[in-house]
């Protein structure tokens, strides 16, 4: 068996501590080896499940560590491009939290740095690694719902009680569109393989960030409608409505946290088929797929070119505001 890919985590973010670092630790072919944080006490939560974790006191020290093959970057949104490029220049493969960039134009920099380094750089867009979404794409492509007419979706939560949250700050790239619009937009693109021709939007802002966005769009063969919000009761669902059936993807984005990932297919004659995936961890699958791609065993399911398309749609929405 090939040696495991040795991972370093850049920053002791809660999401890294609670989700991605444990996923790296649990993934086959991976080893959680190091953490970079200027606050040594923040390393305790990581060492609780990875006692031999090496701790660096700076991001630069982590990138200079010759024993690290890949880094995971969960920094605030506005820092993603800078540190992704630095990681590539340091000779590390890099997986960066979404959104990996704040505009489509920034992908020119990312793709150029990736290609120059000859390394893997990708956005941590975990849902495409989940069998729920792979199955949704398979059903759609098989014609299970006939001609697609409408895709509609919603992703909402309420963080108004946490004004200091980076998602509520414009200077750190906050807003519902960069935070969760990547899921409603990207999942529709992933399943259908289509890109929007035109978009329309209704956006409500607080403190300079969008806290509610209703987006409609015309894709080449279907109509799209979605709501993202950081000021509504939590809800998430994506629906693909065709002439011959309806495909409902429930708990599409936070499997095992919001609920159980499942798909319901409704067809003629009141036929209803439900498929469920209890306990599947898409973060672990993401790390394992990343490792396969690094080792040349398989193509990575979410290259920068795919992520660029989602950011292009976000840019279109903001331009239509």
């Amino acid at each position: 068996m090939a040696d495991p890919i040795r991972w370093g985590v850049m920053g002791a973010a809660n999401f890294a501590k609670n989700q991605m670092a444990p996923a790296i630790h649990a993934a086959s072919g991976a080893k959680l080896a190091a953490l970079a944080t200027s606050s040594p006490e923040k390393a305790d939560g990581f060492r609780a499940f990875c006692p031999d974790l090496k701790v660096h006191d700076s991001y630069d020290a982590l990138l200079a560590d010759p024993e690290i093959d890949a880094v995971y970057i969960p920094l605030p949104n506005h820092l993603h491009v800078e540190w992704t490029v630095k990681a590539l220049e340091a000779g590390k493969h890099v997986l960066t939290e979404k959104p990996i960039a704040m505009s489509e134009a920034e992908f020119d920099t990312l793709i150029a740095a990736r290609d120059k380094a000859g390394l893997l750089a990708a956005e941590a867009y975990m849902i495409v690694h989940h069998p729920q979404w792979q199955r949704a794409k398979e059903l759609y492509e098989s014609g299970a719902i006939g001609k697609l007419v409408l895709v509609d979706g919603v992703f909402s939560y309420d963080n108004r009680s946490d004004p200091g949250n980076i998602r509520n700050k414009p200077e750190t790239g906050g807003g519902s569109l960069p935070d969760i619009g990547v899921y409603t937009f990207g999942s529709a693109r992933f399943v259908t393989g289509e890109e929007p021709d035109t978009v329309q939007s209704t956006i409500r802002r607080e403190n300079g960030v969008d806290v509610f966005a209703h987006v409609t769009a015309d894709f080449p063969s279907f109509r799209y409608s979605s709501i993202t919000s950081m000021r509504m009761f939590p809800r998430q669902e994506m629906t693909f409505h065709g002439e011959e059936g309806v495909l409902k993807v429930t708990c599409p984005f936070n499997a095992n946290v919001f609920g159980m990932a499942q798909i319901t297919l409704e067809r003629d004659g009141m036929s209803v088929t439900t498929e469920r995936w209890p306990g599947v961890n898409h973060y672990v699958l993401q790390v394992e797929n990343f490792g396969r791609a690094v080792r040349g065993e398989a193509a990575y399911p979410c290259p920068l070119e795919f992520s660029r398309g989602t950011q292009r749609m976000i840019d279109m929405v903001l331009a239509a505001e």
Side-chain angles (χ1 to χ4, degrees):
M1 178 181 292
D3 292 335
I5 293 172
R6 301 164 299 182
W7 284 83
V9 175
M10 187 176 289
N14 285 333
F15 181 78
K17 179 180 68 176
N18 297 328
Q19 298 292 349
M20 277 304 298
I24 294 169
H25 187 61
S28 175
K31 175 179 174 57
L32 179 59
L35 169 71
T37 176
S38 58
S39 303
E41 67 278 4
K42 290 185 177 180
D44 293 343
F46 293 80
R47 281 186 166 140
F49 57 86
C50 187
D52 61 344
L53 189 70
K54 182 191 300 184
V55 178
H56 292 289
D57 62 4
S58 72
Y59 304 153
D60 287 319
L62 175 66
L63 295 183
D65 188 339
E67 296 183 349
I68 296 301
D69 306 307
V71 295
Y72 165 66
I73 299 178
L75 301 175
N77 296 344
H78 69 298
L79 299 176
H80 287 176
V81 171
E82 174 189 354
W83 284 99
T84 298
V85 171
K86 286 182 177 180
L88 289 167
E89 291 175 343
K92 313 300 184 187
H93 302 282
V94 54
L95 181 66
T96 302
E97 261 312 316
K98 52 79 197 162
I100 195 171
M102 298 304 299
S103 71
E104 183 192 358
E106 290 185 318
F107 276 86
D108 292 339
T109 300
L110 292 172
I111 290 172
R114 176 200 66 185
D115 293 348
K116 180 179 180 181
L119 300 167
L120 178 58
E123 182 178 63
Y125 192 64
M126 73 291 188
I127 67 169
V128 299
H129 304 273
H130 199 293
Q132 177 193 37
W133 279 107
Q134 295 165 8
R135 179 61 170 156
K137 184 176 179 67
E138 179 183 79
L139 286 169
Y140 168 76
E141 291 178 342
S142 73
I145 60 172
K147 183 182 184 301
L148 180 62
V149 178
L150 175 68
V151 175
D152 64 273
V154 62
F155 193 177
S156 62
Y157 61 89
D158 191 343
N159 71 354
R160 77 186 74 203
S161 64
D162 186 12
N165 191 296
I166 59 173
R167 296 165 184 83
N168 284 319
K169 294 182 175 182
E171 64 270 22
T172 52
S176 76
L177 287 169
D179 186 43
I180 53 180
V182 293
Y183 294 121
T184 52
F185 297 173
S187 60
R189 295 178 53 253
F190 176 73
V191 169
T192 67
E194 295 188 19
E195 304 292 347
D197 292 324
T198 61
V199 301
Q200 305 81 39
S201 63
T202 299
I203 295 176
R204 180 165 60 86
R205 294 180 178 275
E206 294 178 13
N207 188 37
V209 300
D210 72 279
V211 297
F212 173 93
H214 180 206
V215 175
T216 57
D218 289 304
F219 282 70
S221 68
F222 65 91
R223 183 71 170 163
Y224 171 92
S225 175
S226 70
I227 290 174
T228 59
S229 179
M230 305 191 301
R231 297 293 185 270
M232 295 171 65
F233 186 82
R235 179 186 169 205
Q236 51 181 268
E237 182 177 351
M238 291 294 295
T239 301
F240 298 79
H241 196 160
E243 292 181 348
E244 300 173 23
V246 177
L247 182 64
K248 296 180 179 180
V249 186
T250 56
C251 190
F253 309 127
N254 293 128
N256 304 323
V257 177
F258 185 80
M260 185 190 299
Q262 67 178 38
I263 285 176
T264 301
L265 175 62
E266 302 177 13
R267 289 177 52 84
D268 291 343
M270 303 300 289
S271 169
V272 180
T273 303
T274 299
E275 300 179 49
R276 298 185 175 93
W277 291 269
V280 174
N281 189 316
H282 46 197
Y283 300 115
V284 172
L285 295 177
Q286 177 176 243
V287 173
E288 292 176 346
N289 283 338
F290 192 96
R292 292 186 187 98
V294 166
R295 290 188 288 269
E297 299 169 359
Y300 192 64
C302 185
L304 288 178
E305 287 76 6
F306 175 84
S307 299
R308 180 177 197 151
T310 299
Q311 186 60 53
R312 181 185 303 119
M313 186 171 176
I314 293 175
D315 289 356
M316 290 172 68
V317 170
L318 294 174
E321 184 181 358

